[in-house]
Amino acid sequence: MIPEDHPRCRSLIARELIAEGMMNGIVAPEGMSAHGRGEAFDYLIGEKTTGSAFLAEKTAAAMLLMAKRPVISVNGNTAALAAPLVADLQQASGAAVEVNLFHRTEERVEKISGHLEKNGAEVLKGIPRRLLPLSHARALCLEDGIYAADTVLVPLEDGDRCGALRSLGKNVITIDINPLSRTARTATLTIVDELTRAMPNISSGCFELQNKPSECTRLITSHDNNYLLRSALEEIMENLSNALD
Ligand code: PTJ
């Protein structure tokens, strides 16, 4: 039991969710090191949503609302850390939810789908086909899901699927606390924030922007991903330089 007044309470709870997810087959063993890398970058960014990340989250909400066929792609780490938040965002944005895994087994797909459904999400089902230009299991997706989507939210992703989705002309939104990752640099819109801080902000953005198409269009057309990445790196450099003072 983690005491609420522990200074690293939030981080310890996240670790517990990942460890639990690993033990019950939702998180891939490799997901534990992916989480550790995320924790390290979150430390550097100051464990807070920066101003530029908040702008990215609002822009993501606008992109999901304006999309014709938005899909939220969920992997093991995302399901373990944020299943209720995925359900909330699905409700707020109207996006479909599809499970897409790098370390894919049908058993994990079923476990993750069940976990998402238990937490209130509606998960797309069907026979996946190798529809993305990739040599690994992430190529498998549903024809009327990710393949037909115009906008895909891919939290905690590995870089080449992001590139493959973009090569098919899709808008790709990623949540990645590492502004140097290939995914962060390839996505249409990169939210450099921790997953469980970012998701509720995107949902709130959806409620705020509901029935405001011109505000959505303004956010989408004025967005500049290089600015978002540069701001995150400047934030890290400032934190490092303050630590030396
Ligand atoms: O469940 P599977 O089989 O699909 O596998 C999922 C993982 C995460 C193992 C797989 O996609 C993977 O290996 O991802 P990468 O290449 O490690 O990329 C994950 C990215 O997410 C890294 O840049 C991490 O820094 C970042 N990240 C990790 N945890 C968080 C995070 N970003 C935001 N919030 C987090 N909690």
Side-chain angles (χ1 to χ4, degrees), residues 173-202:
I173 306 166
T174 192
I175 302 171
D176 191 333
I177 192 72
N178 174 5
L180 296 168
S181 80
R182 247 171 351 117
T183 308
R185 299 187 160 260
T186 314
T188 316
L189 172 66
T190 304
I191 298 168
V192 185
D193 199 0
E194 198 283 320
L195 176 77
T196 62
R197 290 195 304 268
M199 295 284 282
N201 287 342
I202 308 174

Tab-separated table of all heavy atoms in Angstrom, residues 173-202:
chain	number	residue	atom	x	y	z
A	173	ILE	N	-1.421	11.680	-34.001
A	173	ILE	CA	-1.183	12.408	-32.749
A	173	ILE	C	-0.487	11.422	-31.819
A	173	ILE	O	-0.970	10.298	-31.644
A	173	ILE	CB	-2.516	12.833	-32.084
A	173	ILE	CG1	-3.390	13.613	-33.055
A	173	ILE	CG2	-2.249	13.626	-30.809
A	173	ILE	CD1	-4.841	13.768	-32.574
A	174	THR	N	0.626	11.832	-31.220
A	174	THR	CA	1.244	10.934	-30.243
A	174	THR	C	1.366	11.605	-28.886
A	174	THR	O	1.403	12.836	-28.787
A	174	THR	CB	2.634	10.426	-30.711
A	174	THR	OG1	3.027	9.366	-29.846
A	174	THR	CG2	3.692	11.507	-30.679
A	175	ILE	N	1.362	10.785	-27.849
A	175	ILE	CA	1.708	11.258	-26.501
A	175	ILE	C	3.021	10.574	-26.175
A	175	ILE	O	3.089	9.343	-26.100
A	175	ILE	CB	0.634	10.854	-25.464
A	175	ILE	CG1	-0.734	11.415	-25.848
A	175	ILE	CG2	1.049	11.324	-24.063
A	175	ILE	CD1	-1.897	10.880	-25.007
A	176	ASP	N	4.091	11.342	-26.071
A	176	ASP	CA	5.415	10.765	-25.807
A	176	ASP	C	6.213	11.782	-25.001
A	176	ASP	O	6.480	12.894	-25.468
A	176	ASP	CB	6.116	10.431	-27.138
A	176	ASP	CG	7.368	9.581	-26.921
A	176	ASP	OD1	7.978	9.669	-25.840
A	176	ASP	OD2	7.719	8.822	-27.838
A	177	ILE	N	6.596	11.383	-23.792
A	177	ILE	CA	7.299	12.296	-22.894
A	177	ILE	C	8.747	12.534	-23.340
A	177	ILE	O	9.418	13.421	-22.829
A	177	ILE	CB	7.224	11.742	-21.431
A	177	ILE	CG1	7.667	12.743	-20.378
A	177	ILE	CG2	8.001	10.446	-21.299
A	177	ILE	CD1	6.734	13.858	-20.140
A	178	ASN	N	9.189	11.760	-24.339
A	178	ASN	CA	10.551	11.924	-24.860
A	178	ASN	C	10.518	12.732	-26.168
A	178	ASN	O	10.182	12.194	-27.216
A	178	ASN	CB	11.153	10.525	-25.092
A	178	ASN	CG	12.515	10.587	-25.774
A	178	ASN	OD1	13.059	11.669	-25.991
A	178	ASN	ND2	13.056	9.422	-26.101
A	179	PRO	N	10.917	14.020	-26.100
A	179	PRO	CA	10.829	14.841	-27.314
A	179	PRO	C	11.870	14.472	-28.362
A	179	PRO	O	11.830	14.988	-29.478
A	179	PRO	CB	11.077	16.267	-26.787
A	179	PRO	CG	11.846	16.092	-25.532
A	179	PRO	CD	11.447	14.761	-24.942
A	180	LEU	N	12.812	13.579	-27.997
A	180	LEU	CA	13.846	13.175	-28.949
A	180	LEU	C	13.498	11.886	-29.681
A	180	LEU	O	14.232	11.462	-30.575
A	180	LEU	CB	15.182	12.960	-28.209
A	180	LEU	CG	15.779	14.204	-27.550
A	180	LEU	CD1	16.917	13.815	-26.612
A	180	LEU	CD2	16.279	15.184	-28.595
A	181	SER	N	12.396	11.242	-29.302
A	181	SER	CA	12.097	9.934	-29.898
A	181	SER	C	11.724	10.083	-31.367
A	181	SER	O	11.285	11.142	-31.816
A	181	SER	CB	10.960	9.249	-29.136
A	181	SER	OG	9.717	9.774	-29.551
A	182	ARG	N	11.880	8.961	-32.096
A	182	ARG	CA	11.520	8.983	-33.519
A	182	ARG	C	10.043	9.272	-33.697
A	182	ARG	O	9.627	9.992	-34.592
A	182	ARG	CB	11.877	7.631	-34.151
A	182	ARG	CG	12.984	7.773	-35.145
A	182	ARG	CD	13.543	6.466	-35.655
A	182	ARG	NE	13.095	5.275	-35.004
A	182	ARG	CZ	12.395	4.305	-35.599
A	182	ARG	NH1	12.073	4.429	-36.868
A	182	ARG	NH2	12.058	3.223	-34.943
A	183	THR	N	9.230	8.692	-32.802
A	183	THR	CA	7.781	8.928	-32.887
A	183	THR	C	7.482	10.409	-32.723
A	183	THR	O	6.726	10.992	-33.505
A	183	THR	CB	7.045	8.151	-31.769
A	183	THR	OG1	7.448	6.800	-31.819
A	183	THR	CG2	5.550	8.252	-31.925
A	184	ALA	N	8.104	11.013	-31.695
A	184	ALA	CA	7.854	12.436	-31.417
A	184	ALA	C	8.184	13.277	-32.647
A	184	ALA	O	7.510	14.256	-32.955
A	184	ALA	CB	8.688	12.885	-30.224
A	185	ARG	N	9.239	12.855	-33.369
A	185	ARG	CA	9.710	13.651	-34.511
A	185	ARG	C	8.967	13.342	-35.799
A	185	ARG	O	9.078	14.083	-36.760
A	185	ARG	CB	11.216	13.425	-34.692
A	185	ARG	CG	11.895	13.881	-33.457
A	185	ARG	CD	13.361	13.948	-33.376
A	185	ARG	NE	13.596	14.876	-32.266
A	185	ARG	CZ	13.901	16.144	-32.424
A	185	ARG	NH1	14.077	16.654	-33.605
A	185	ARG	NH2	14.058	16.921	-31.370
A	186	THR	N	8.202	12.258	-35.811
A	186	THR	CA	7.521	11.846	-37.048
A	186	THR	C	6.035	12.210	-37.029
A	186	THR	O	5.406	12.332	-38.081
A	186	THR	CB	7.644	10.309	-37.232
A	186	THR	OG1	8.987	9.936	-36.980
A	186	THR	CG2	7.266	9.859	-38.618
A	187	ALA	N	5.473	12.339	-35.822
A	187	ALA	CA	4.023	12.556	-35.715
A	187	ALA	C	3.593	13.901	-36.300
A	187	ALA	O	4.400	14.829	-36.419
A	187	ALA	CB	3.610	12.494	-34.247
A	188	THR	N	2.324	13.996	-36.643
A	188	THR	CA	1.760	15.278	-37.079
A	188	THR	C	1.708	16.231	-35.874
A	188	THR	O	2.016	17.413	-35.973
A	188	THR	CB	0.305	15.074	-37.584
A	188	THR	OG1	0.257	13.913	-38.402
A	188	THR	CG2	-0.205	16.291	-38.334
A	189	LEU	N	1.322	15.672	-34.732
A	189	LEU	CA	1.187	16.469	-33.498
A	189	LEU	C	1.739	15.658	-32.337
A	189	LEU	O	1.286	14.533	-32.086
A	189	LEU	CB	-0.300	16.789	-33.258
A	189	LEU	CG	-0.653	17.446	-31.921
A	189	LEU	CD1	-0.058	18.846	-31.824
A	189	LEU	CD2	-2.165	17.533	-31.754
A	190	THR	N	2.724	16.219	-31.638
A	190	THR	CA	3.352	15.503	-30.525
A	190	THR	C	3.019	16.182	-29.207
A	190	THR	O	3.294	17.370	-29.014
A	190	THR	CB	4.889	15.474	-30.706
A	190	THR	OG1	5.179	14.891	-31.978
A	190	THR	CG2	5.556	14.661	-29.608
A	191	ILE	N	2.441	15.392	-28.305
A	191	ILE	CA	2.159	15.895	-26.957
A	191	ILE	C	3.292	15.395	-26.063
A	191	ILE	O	3.368	14.201	-25.757
A	191	ILE	CB	0.797	15.368	-26.459
A	191	ILE	CG1	-0.324	15.864	-27.373
A	191	ILE	CG2	0.561	15.769	-25.015
A	191	ILE	CD1	-1.659	15.177	-27.149
A	192	VAL	N	4.187	16.300	-25.687
A	192	VAL	CA	5.294	15.892	-24.814
A	192	VAL	C	4.812	16.045	-23.373
A	192	VAL	O	4.987	17.086	-22.727
A	192	VAL	CB	6.571	16.724	-25.089
A	192	VAL	CG1	7.734	16.187	-24.237
A	192	VAL	CG2	6.952	16.669	-26.562
A	193	ASP	N	4.150	15.009	-22.901
A	193	ASP	CA	3.594	15.019	-21.543
A	193	ASP	C	3.433	13.572	-21.107
A	193	ASP	O	3.447	12.654	-21.939
A	193	ASP	CB	2.225	15.726	-21.543
A	193	ASP	CG	1.804	16.196	-20.150
A	193	ASP	OD1	2.559	15.983	-19.178
A	193	ASP	OD2	0.707	16.789	-20.031
A	194	GLU	N	3.270	13.376	-19.807
A	194	GLU	CA	3.049	12.018	-19.287
A	194	GLU	C	1.612	11.620	-19.621
A	194	GLU	O	0.689	12.423	-19.526
A	194	GLU	CB	3.337	12.009	-17.779
A	194	GLU	CG	3.566	10.640	-17.181
A	194	GLU	CD	2.298	9.845	-16.958
A	194	GLU	OE1	1.292	10.446	-16.535
A	194	GLU	OE2	2.291	8.634	-17.219
A	195	LEU	N	1.449	10.348	-19.998
A	195	LEU	CA	0.151	9.838	-20.473
A	195	LEU	C	-1.035	10.200	-19.559
A	195	LEU	O	-2.056	10.691	-20.035
A	195	LEU	CB	0.259	8.307	-20.592
A	195	LEU	CG	-1.006	7.567	-20.981
A	195	LEU	CD1	-1.261	7.720	-22.478
A	195	LEU	CD2	-0.912	6.096	-20.614
A	196	THR	N	-0.882	9.948	-18.248
A	196	THR	CA	-2.046	10.123	-17.351
A	196	THR	C	-2.324	11.593	-17.031
A	196	THR	O	-3.374	11.914	-16.495
A	196	THR	CB	-1.886	9.312	-16.040
A	196	THR	OG1	-0.738	9.789	-15.334
A	196	THR	CG2	-1.724	7.832	-16.331
A	197	ARG	N	-1.384	12.489	-17.351
A	197	ARG	CA	-1.704	13.923	-17.266
A	197	ARG	C	-2.321	14.390	-18.581
A	197	ARG	O	-3.214	15.243	-18.590
A	197	ARG	CB	-0.434	14.764	-16.989
A	197	ARG	CG	0.140	14.601	-15.588
A	197	ARG	CD	1.153	15.707	-15.278
A	197	ARG	NE	2.230	15.796	-16.242
A	197	ARG	CZ	3.397	15.162	-16.127
A	197	ARG	NH1	3.649	14.409	-15.074
A	197	ARG	NH2	4.333	15.295	-17.050
A	198	ALA	N	-1.816	13.830	-19.688
A	198	ALA	CA	-2.259	14.303	-21.009
A	198	ALA	C	-3.707	13.907	-21.321
A	198	ALA	O	-4.486	14.728	-21.828
A	198	ALA	CB	-1.330	13.754	-22.091
A	199	MET	N	-4.064	12.667	-21.029
A	199	MET	CA	-5.376	12.154	-21.469
A	199	MET	C	-6.546	12.993	-20.914
A	199	MET	O	-7.443	13.380	-21.675
A	199	MET	CB	-5.546	10.681	-21.074
A	199	MET	CG	-4.594	9.741	-21.767
A	199	MET	SD	-5.022	9.392	-23.478
A	199	MET	CE	-6.313	8.222	-23.278
A	200	PRO	N	-6.574	13.292	-19.590
A	200	PRO	CA	-7.706	14.097	-19.095
A	200	PRO	C	-7.737	15.493	-19.719
A	200	PRO	O	-8.814	16.051	-19.929
A	200	PRO	CB	-7.464	14.196	-17.581
A	200	PRO	CG	-6.474	13.131	-17.267
A	200	PRO	CD	-5.682	12.881	-18.506
A	201	ASN	N	-6.554	16.049	-20.027
A	201	ASN	CA	-6.535	17.382	-20.655
A	201	ASN	C	-7.112	17.331	-22.071
A	201	ASN	O	-7.785	18.270	-22.503
A	201	ASN	CB	-5.104	17.936	-20.711
A	201	ASN	CG	-4.618	18.375	-19.337
A	201	ASN	OD1	-5.420	18.587	-18.428
A	201	ASN	ND2	-3.314	18.501	-19.181
A	202	ILE	N	-6.866	16.238	-22.791
A	202	ILE	CA	-7.442	16.128	-24.151
A	202	ILE	C	-8.967	15.993	-24.025
A	202	ILE	O	-9.729	16.627	-24.770
A	202	ILE	CB	-6.860	14.936	-24.947
A	202	ILE	CG1	-5.333	14.958	-24.936
A	202	ILE	CG2	-7.358	14.967	-26.387
A	202	ILE	CD1	-4.686	13.725	-25.571
